[in-house]
Amino acid sequence: MEGSGSARLRDLPSVNAVLTSAAASTLLERFGRVASTGAVRAALDGARTALRAGALAVPSAEDFALQALARLEEEDRSGLRPLFNLTGTVLHTNLGRAVLAEAAIAAAVAAMRDPVALEFDLSAGKRGERDDYVRALLCDLTGAEDATLVNNNAAAVLLALNTLADGREAIVSRGELIEIGGAFRLPDIMARAGARLVEVGTTNRTHSKDYRAALGPQTGVILKVHTSNYRIQGFTAEVGAAELAGIADAANVPLMNDLGSGTLVDLSRYGLQKEPTVREAVAQGAGVVTFSGDKLLGGPQAGFIVGRRALIAAINRNPMKRALRVDKIRLAAIEATLKLYRDPDRLDERLPTLRLLARPQAEIAAQAHRLLPAVARAVGSAFTVEPCDCRSQIGSGALPLDTIASGGLVIRSRTGGGALDRLAAALRGLARPVIGRIEDGGLVLDLRCLTDEQEFLSVLPALDGDAVS
């Protein structure tokens, strides 16, 4: 057998023979000679191992070229490729949060394609400021005197605290010392910013007298934090932003209000629970308000800082600002997104985040019934597929206790034994992955975020449900 294996090894084509075969033309055209040669050698090495182990067939040169092509195509697939978010969480942090509006996408592409006047004042013919492209928009939309931006809201909080309270005290309610995903803990951020944390009140109750008692000559800022990713309920008390602004003004220290997710519109007009808007926070007297761009605002990742002119000017002078700035591509998308808010009557038509959040349950349920036969065929006879009512979440820490009535499909295994987990893995392995959620013994495909129905149908035939059952 060993001699026979050695004889078959001699029948393997050379690397050059594979690369000059008809099937190699596509390989070379797409990936070039260097990468193609490496992939062919890897395919030949695999064949040698198989032949020594007793394999009988010797692939042809064309077969090896196709193997190399498949190998390189797999390596070339981006982990950031588009997927179907059927988790029921609209702003899913692990799936990139907000889907951008078409206007923002077009603006970003234009900024990528050509030089732009990023920091060049065209009217004066000299150096300009990149923040100028969104400053007026932010001031108009929020009522603030001035505005600036950095690359995310965590950076906005860090920069503002470092500017206002480096080496000084920052007063915050114990009930607002938040922790969010990715190891972002407010006390740690305050320490990195150089601020000395002064906790006031208790976990569930903080009063105005607690803030007044903590004020002193070393106070740099009073910090209010919107607890967007949790709620303390029951016997509770907190000091509102307007009252807190009065306390801060009387002590001649700024109030910084971190809204976290932040919204520029009243969400109740779309049937959602009301969240404090940035304009309201500014009107209540905060010296500085920070909020995110890629959550409820529906734009790319960014951290906005709006407020009083003198405080924003100080923040802009901080040397850290340059390290946290946004690039031209994101800035273009941010500007285009903010411009959509100038037409609030059509905002939910043009901004995907609001459109998805406001999508009626009846529309989603009708979609579930349309898709049921195709999904049932794809998963095979070992699974059942039924329409279901479900609840969607906003996500990214926004309105954690509030869900939205939605609809979808629930898939259950007839056999058990881990078949549902294997099916979920197979859906994730599709050319355009499908991500659902497993709960109550079923794989739920919440259809709230499914906007491209035909594309979804086109990937389903590649799913072999019987093979994973």
Side-chain angles (χ1 to χ4, degrees):
M1 178 65 70
E2 184 176 349
S4 177
S6 299
R8 289 196 301 276
L9 286 174
R10 290 192 294 271
D11 293 334
L12 288 172
S14 66
V15 172
N16 186 62
V18 176
L19 291 175
T20 55
S21 67
S25 59
T26 301
L27 174 68
L28 291 166
E29 176 66 24
R30 287 194 55 191
F31 297 104
R33 180 164 293 277
V34 174
S36 299
T37 300
V40 168
R41 283 175 174 157
L44 288 167
D45 287 343
R48 290 188 187 96
T49 300
L51 289 171
R52 291 188 182 108
L56 298 177
V58 178
S60 67
E62 285 74 13
D63 291 331
F64 282 115
L66 293 174
Q67 288 180 33
L69 178 61
R71 181 190 187 95
L72 291 178
E73 284 180 335
E74 179 62 28
E75 292 176 355
D76 197 50
R77 291 174 68 186
S78 172
L80 289 173
R81 64 187 183 275
L83 54 78
F84 292 106
N85 174 16
L86 306 188
T87 64
T89 301
V90 177
L91 297 170
H92 200 303
T93 297
N94 304 131
L95 303 182
R97 292 183 178 165
V99 176
L100 297 190
E102 288 301 320
I105 295 169
V109 170
M112 285 187 279
R113 182 171 288 126
D114 294 302
V116 296
L118 178 62
E119 291 185 352
F120 186 78
D121 187 331
L122 291 170
S123 60
K126 61 182 182 180
R127 183 183 178 93
E129 293 291 335
R130 65 180 65 196
D131 289 4
D132 288 345
Y133 290 100
V134 296
R135 179 179 286 113
L137 274 168
L138 285 168
C139 291
D140 181 55
L141 293 169
T142 66
E145 292 178 359
D146 203 355
T148 189
L149 76 162
V150 287
N151 58 17
N152 62 27
N153 192 52
V157 172
L158 176 68
L159 180 63
L161 283 173
N162 180 257
T163 303
L164 303 176
D166 185 19
R168 306 187 72 189
E169 295 175 350
I171 301 172
V172 61
S173 168
R174 183 170 286 113
E176 296 174 3
L177 290 174
I178 63 170
E179 176 179 341
I180 61 175
F184 179 99
R185 307 182 78 190
L186 187 59
D188 296 339
I189 293 297
M190 295 175 74
R192 294 285 183 176
R196 297 196 298 273
L197 169 62
V198 177
E199 300 179 34
V200 296
T202 63
T203 301
N204 59 315
R205 291 178 69 81
T206 303
H207 305 280
S208 57
K209 63 182 180 180
D210 297 319
Y211 289 99
R212 291 191 179 96
L215 287 164
Q218 290 301 308
T219 302
V221 68
I222 296 177
L223 175 62
K224 183 167 184 59
V225 182
H226 180 44
T227 55
S228 59
N229 63 347
Y230 69 93
R231 291 286 186 271
I232 299 174
Q233 296 180 322
F235 187 59
T236 65
E238 69 170 307
V239 182
E243 183 179 0
L244 206 51
I247 295 171
D249 285 344
N252 198 30
V253 298
L255 170 65
M256 174 178 164
N257 191 347
D258 174 31
L259 292 181
S261 186
T263 178
L264 296 176
V265 294
D266 182 358
L267 296 177
S268 62
R269 68 183 294 178
Y270 304 104
L272 304 170
Q273 181 69 31
K274 180 175 173 56
E275 280 273 277
T277 68
V278 181
R279 180 176 288 276
E280 289 169 346
V282 170
Q284 288 165 345
V288 169
V289 179
T290 57
F291 58 103
S292 294
D294 58 338
K295 296 181 182 179
L296 288 173
L297 194 142
Q301 180 176 290
F304 298 108
I305 310 172
V306 302
R308 296 176 185 168
R309 187 171 291 106
L311 298 177
I312 299 300
I315 289 169
N316 280 328
R317 289 194 298 269
N318 191 319
M320 290 175 58
K321 171 70 187 307
R322 182 177 178 86
L324 303 173
R325 66 186 182 179
V326 300
D327 70 306
K328 67 171 185 175
I329 301 168
R330 206 184 316 177
L331 187 61
I334 290 167
E335 181 188 24
T337 302
L338 291 174
K339 286 180 177 178
L340 296 177
Y341 280 86
R342 297 189 300 192
D343 185 4
D345 293 335
R346 291 186 290 178
L347 186 61
D348 59 335
E349 299 174 17
R350 299 175 175 181
L351 196 67
T353 294
L354 285 182
R355 185 167 64 247
L356 294 174
L357 290 174
R359 195 176 176 205
Q361 183 187 26
E363 176 186 306
I364 305 170
Q367 184 180 49
H369 282 87
R370 288 196 303 272
L371 294 175
L372 190 151
V375 173
R377 285 194 300 272
V379 301
S381 59
F383 298 92
T384 64
V385 184
E386 296 177 329
C388 67
D389 293 332
C390 51
R391 308 290 299 186
S392 300
Q393 293 182 321
I394 293 177
S396 292
L399 301 173
L401 301 182
D402 298 290
T403 57
I404 313 167
S406 187
L409 298 169
V410 58
I411 305 170
R412 292 189 171 87
S413 171
R414 299 182 190 273
T415 60
L420 208 58
D421 289 328
R422 292 192 294 273
L423 178 62
L427 285 166
R428 295 194 302 271
L430 292 173
R432 181 166 178 174
V434 175
I435 316 294
R437 69 176 188 267
I438 294 179
E439 64 178 27
D440 298 329
L443 174 58
V444 176
L445 304 181
D446 186 322
L447 301 178
R448 173 166 293 278
C449 294
L450 181 59
T451 56
D452 194 340
E453 192 171 312
Q454 293 307 310
E455 176 69 13
F456 176 71
L457 290 171
S458 74
V459 304
L460 287 180
L463 181 68
D464 188 356
D466 292 331
V468 302
S469 61

